[in-house]
Amino acid sequence: ASPARPISFSTMAATASTEPVFYNPFEPGYAEDPYRQFALLREHDPVHESLAGPWMLFRYEDVNRLLRDASLSVEEDRSTRVGPRAEVFERLLAQSEQGEERRSRGTRAMLNLDPPDHTRLRRLVSKAFTPRMIEGLRPLVARLVDEHLDAVAAAGRMDVIADLAFPLPFTVISEMLGMPAADRDQLRDWSHAIVKLLDPVITEEEINEAFESSDAMTDHVHEVIDWKREHPADDLLTALIRAEEDGDRLSPDELRDQVVLLFIAGHETTVNLIGNGTLALLRHPDQLARWRDDPALDANAVDELLRYDSPVQFSRRITIEPLEIGGRTIPARTFVLAGLASSNRDPAQWGPTADELDLGRADANQHVAFGSGTHFCLGAALARLEGQVALGRLIRRFPDLAVADPGPAWNGRLNLRGLERLPITFRA
């Protein structure tokens, strides 16, 4: 494959039930609306062996079962079947002087570990994410949101992503970790490049960019850890360093990987929640007005927005033994992607209104936007809080919100699908 060519076979989406159905992220319009394709796959091939390599699940029942199955793994090794892209990764790593070090990065993050290591690492971090600790952040989040809205009020317009959705969770997770001041835009660029590695289809150019960004992010995190050793405080990073210094609780590689994971995961997905959520509200003005006029909807509205347009589209598992699911057998040591976004629009779970936005939906909180089972998102409560405060204050502070030229632009990522730009106008 050339550097600009996606690591995938050519695919096509079906337009009739007699045609084959393939997952095809290159279909025109997929970035703006992948849900039409998901509906076809749910109906015609819900347990799907994709041409890009991984198997994929698209029904709520199958996805929920996969995520909760404790017999499955998240730990990859060289025997895992992940398709053509794995060969390209190995070739690029072999060509790099840092190949082995790059290969090991992230492997000690709790997201990529099974119990008991996952349990041990999650326990070390979870103290900072208890409901009481998260609720204690509400005044900080409210103050930050108000500051960002104050900064754009006089202009009568803003870019929701650059002016609110990105800086808010970035600042919050930096405060929680106790990260020193840094170049926010540079860190955002590195983070964006790294999370492309989560996509089921990726180009060689994107892989190399992700490797280089990972090099830079790793160097930055090492500098931050060294700085924090000299400047301990009452924050999460200091607590993790003390656990690492205890020796048997956290290794140096585990410390590094946890910090990178918390930092990236702590803002990337919430950017999508706020951005995608704002666009959904603008496209459904009746629902926007409903929420604006009823603060009691704050919690449920955010869950419905998470269901309606999931910030994370897929979650992965690896089979240890052959897995029977949905009438098909997935081989052992196979990479399986659970379609979170598709599941959250499954009429079998949500009824005939599954594709509609209903902020009063009674069972909205049954979505799987945060995953499920052992690896349920540790930061779910924080993301919900940030979404409630940011979106609630935005729609109540500024009436007559409207999309402005040049219009929304999607970020081009398949897994962490969100907006790169969302210009809006309003009356202050």
Side-chain angles (χ1 to χ4, degrees):
S2 67
R5 183 179 302 162
I7 301 164
S8 172
F9 296 93
S10 296
T11 60
M12 59 175 288
T15 56
S17 60
T18 57
E19 297 178 357
V21 182
F22 298 114
Y23 173 69
N24 177 15
F26 306 110
E27 181 184 24
Y30 179 91
E32 294 78 13
D33 179 18
Y35 295 98
R36 186 190 72 84
Q37 193 175 131
F38 292 162
L40 285 169
L41 286 156
R42 274 197 312 268
E43 181 178 357
H44 299 295
D45 196 13
V47 182
H48 179 66
E49 185 176 7
S50 75
L51 299 183
W55 284 64
M56 308 177 81
L57 306 181
F58 291 94
R59 292 187 303 207
Y60 183 93
E61 179 181 1
D62 296 337
V63 164
N64 208 30
R65 176 190 159 191
L66 187 89
L67 296 175
R68 292 173 175 271
D69 190 336
S71 73
L72 302 176
S73 177
V74 296
E75 296 185 11
E76 296 180 42
D77 60 33
R78 297 187 186 186
S79 67
T80 304
R81 309 174 193 217
V82 292
R85 66 179 248 158
E87 299 175 6
V88 180
F89 268 90
E90 286 301 317
R91 174 166 55 80
L92 294 177
L93 287 168
Q95 294 171 355
S96 167
E97 293 181 359
Q98 299 169 275
E100 286 305 314
E101 200 272 332
R102 285 173 167 177
R103 181 182 284 111
S104 69
R105 275 186 212 148
T107 58
R108 300 307 301 169
M110 58 184 166
L111 186 67
N112 301 320
L113 289 171
D114 300 329
D117 284 336
H118 170 269
T119 308
R120 173 175 56 86
L121 294 172
R122 188 174 177 115
R123 186 180 298 119
L124 286 172
V125 176
S126 62
K127 295 175 184 177
F129 290 88
T130 63
R132 181 178 178 182
M133 294 291 289
I134 297 304
E135 187 57 32
L137 293 171
R138 187 176 291 273
L140 168 65
V141 174
R143 175 175 62 79
L144 291 171
V145 170
D146 287 344
E147 288 175 358
H148 292 312
L149 298 183
D150 288 344
V152 299
R157 65 179 293 131
M158 66 186 291
D159 180 348
V160 173
I161 307 304
D163 296 326
L164 179 62
F166 172 70
L168 171 66
F170 181 94
T171 302
V172 171
I173 195 60
S174 296
E175 288 278 334
M176 290 181 69
L177 281 164
M179 301 275 277
D183 185 333
R184 189 168 69 188
D185 291 337
Q186 182 64 78
L187 289 169
R188 181 187 186 188
D189 290 343
W190 293 340
S191 179
H192 279 10
I194 292 168
V195 299
K196 280 290 290 184
L197 294 174
L198 300 174
D199 285 356
V201 178
I202 187 171
T203 67
E204 287 191 26
E205 181 181 14
E206 289 167 336
I207 293 172
N208 282 320
E209 183 181 356
F211 285 162
E212 291 169 4
S213 294
S214 177
D215 295 342
M217 181 71 82
T218 299
D219 289 343
H220 173 72
V221 167
H222 282 310
E223 290 175 4
V224 167
I225 291 172
D226 289 342
W227 181 88
K228 182 58 68 172
R229 290 189 198 278
E230 300 298 322
H231 302 84
D234 183 18
D235 54 46
L236 180 54
L237 182 50
T238 298
L240 291 174
I241 289 171
R242 286 172 177 162
E244 183 254 356
E245 289 172 347
D246 286 347
D248 61 343
R249 299 175 62 198
L250 198 65
S251 72
D253 287 348
E254 288 172 338
L255 172 61
R256 175 202 66 200
D257 285 356
Q258 264 40 250
V259 174
V260 173
L261 171 64
L262 289 166
F263 182 68
I264 293 178
H267 73 273
E268 282 282 353
T269 54
T270 306
V271 174
N272 293 352
L273 165 58
I274 296 171
N276 297 7
T278 301
L279 184 59
L281 292 169
L282 291 169
R283 289 175 170 174
H284 297 83
D286 60 323
Q287 294 297 309
L288 188 156
R290 180 184 184 186
W291 185 11
R292 183 187 61 220
D293 298 338
D294 185 3
L297 281 176
D298 281 6
N300 204 76
V302 168
D303 273 316
E304 174 65 357
L305 291 169
L306 286 160
R307 183 201 70 85
Y308 181 77
D309 199 2
S310 303
V312 181
Q313 301 274 289
F314 301 98
S315 184
R316 83 198 193 292
R317 294 292 187 274
I318 297 164
T319 59
I320 303 301
E321 303 292 339
L323 177 68
E324 299 284 341
I325 191 165
R328 301 195 67 179
T329 301
I330 301 176
R333 300 308 307 170
T334 297
F335 199 90
V336 185
L337 291 177
L340 308 179
S342 174
S343 301
N344 286 338
R345 295 280 195 100
D346 188 349
Q349 171 67 21
W350 310 105
T353 64
D355 284 322
E356 299 175 13
L357 183 67
D358 175 7
L359 300 186
R361 190 181 297 273
D363 55 353
N365 64 358
Q366 297 302 303
H367 64 77
V368 289
F370 293 123
S372 189
T374 303
H375 288 276
F376 180 80
C377 177
L378 182 66
L382 177 59
R384 283 187 168 106
L385 172 65
E386 291 172 328
Q388 289 171 24
V389 176
L391 291 166
R393 285 173 116 77
L394 172 66
I395 64 176
R396 293 182 184 118
R397 171 85 178 263
F398 298 138
D400 303 323
L401 292 171
V403 176
D405 291 334
W410 294 90
N411 60 21
R413 285 178 282 170
L414 304 181
N415 196 8
L416 271 65
R417 173 181 167 272
L419 290 158
E420 190 68 29
R421 177 188 73 227
L422 179 56
I424 63 172
T425 58
F426 51 82
R427 275 192 300 113

